[in-house]
Amino acid sequence: QVQLVQSGAEMKKPGSSVKVSCKASGGTFSSYAISWVRQAPGQGLEWMGRIIPMLGVANFAQKFQGRVTITADKSTITAYMELSSLRSEDTAVYYCARGSHITGELDYWGQGTLVTVSS
Amino acid sequence: QSVLTQPPSVSGAPGQRVTISCTGSSSNIGAAYDVHWYQQLPGTPPKLLIYGNNNRPSGVPDRFSGSKSGTSASLAITGLQAEDEADYYCQSYDSSLRGSGVFGGGTKLTVL
């Protein structure tokens, strides 16, 4: 049974950074990527980036270039997403999801982590 | 402004058939990237509904089907049920965005 368990909710000040973790278990991850997707309140899904833990290779949506860092610890199959220079518009639920890095579908999702940015 | 365009809302009565469109361009759907569909119930993570344009994961009823043609894709739901009321998103990748993932803006399905 594949499970992705994310870290808990965060409250951050504008200008600070947040780091969200996503620990994977069950199933196989050798040929999979971990993607990060966010959803602002009442809004749609937004793809942020992904990493292939076994290779340590990551790519990001252009919108987040320079502000997001995605890393992974392949020994524990844990992925991390760090977003810096936070602003109020970054208030959202952040999801991690497992996806085939070849076909691209996101088949298992974490429970989501609410990040609130407020002064 | 989403890269993939979906209607904001669709509706249908129980038992009816509805379709949700997802329109892209030559750099995403038209570039032979697969289209995937997700269902999201309120307060829960998205759930994979259709992958690789027209494949259903284990456990997804065959009332759900997907298709793709040219720069567009569609999700069809037959025999509409009350529990189908949810938000639906299409997803693909885009070569003009260096292979980044892209989502449609989402479609709210209301079962009348």
Side-chain angles (χ1 to χ4, degrees):
Chain A
Q1 178 78 354
V2 174
Q3 273 200 305
L4 299 175
V5 179
Q6 299 182 222
S7 48
E10 301 264 13
M11 183 85 75
K12 293 292 181 180
K13 300 282 189 195
S16 66
S17 298
V18 67
K19 190 170 186 177
V20 181
S21 68
C22 170
K23 181 167 175 54
S25 62
T28 177
F29 289 86
S30 59
S31 60
Y32 285 90
I34 299 292
S35 292
W36 290 91
V37 175
R38 77 177 186 179
Q39 186 170 37
Q43 302 300 308
L45 303 174
E46 184 172 30
W47 191 88
M48 299 180 69
R50 66 177 175 176
I51 187 166
I52 303 172
M54 291 300 126
L55 302 178
V57 174
N59 67 309
F60 316 99
Q62 197 165 358
K63 171 178 179 177
F64 299 102
Q65 291 280 352
R67 272 216 306 150
V68 70
T69 304
I70 296 177
T71 56
D73 180 339
K74 64 181 181 182
S75 65
T76 60
I77 317 293
T78 302
Y80 302 89
M81 187 283 300
E82 184 170 21
L83 188 62
S84 62
S85 302
L86 290 170
R87 32 211 190 230
S88 59
E89 310 88 88
D90 294 317
T91 294
V93 175
Y94 289 77
Y95 294 103
C96 64
R98 187 188 82 161
S100 166
H101 68 88
I102 297 184
T103 53
E105 73 274 14
L106 305 176
D107 56 359
Y108 289 93
W109 293 66
Q111 82 276 20
T113 296
L114 175 62
V115 175
T116 304
V117 182
S118 174
S119 54
Chain B
Q1 200 85 347
S2 301
V3 173
L4 304 179
T5 301
Q6 298 180 233
S9 64
V10 297
S11 62
Q16 285 190 331
R17 178 181 186 269
V18 297
T19 61
I20 298 173
S21 61
C22 174
T23 303
S25 68
S26 58
S27 62
N28 40 67
I29 299 175
Y33 284 106
D34 285 340
V35 177
H36 318 294
W37 291 90
Y38 304 88
Q39 177 193 60
Q40 187 178 34
L41 298 171
T44 68
K47 169 192 167 185
L48 180 64
L49 201 61
I50 297 288
Y51 68 95
N53 306 316
N54 55 14
N55 301 289
R56 280 176 287 106
S58 172
V60 172
D62 59 6
R63 301 186 296 105
F64 295 90
S65 63
S67 64
K68 173 186 159 181
S69 178
T71 58
S72 294
S74 286
L75 172 71
I77 310 172
T78 59
L80 209 54
Q81 300 180 2
E83 59 260 36
D84 298 333
E85 187 160 295
D87 294 322
Y88 293 83
Y89 295 90
C90 60
Q91 181 245 321
S92 188
Y93 291 83
D94 196 298
S95 61
S96 71
L97 301 174
R98 292 186 287 181
S100 291
V102 289
F103 282 97
T107 299
K108 169 69 178 176
L109 168 63
T110 300
V111 180
L112 301 170

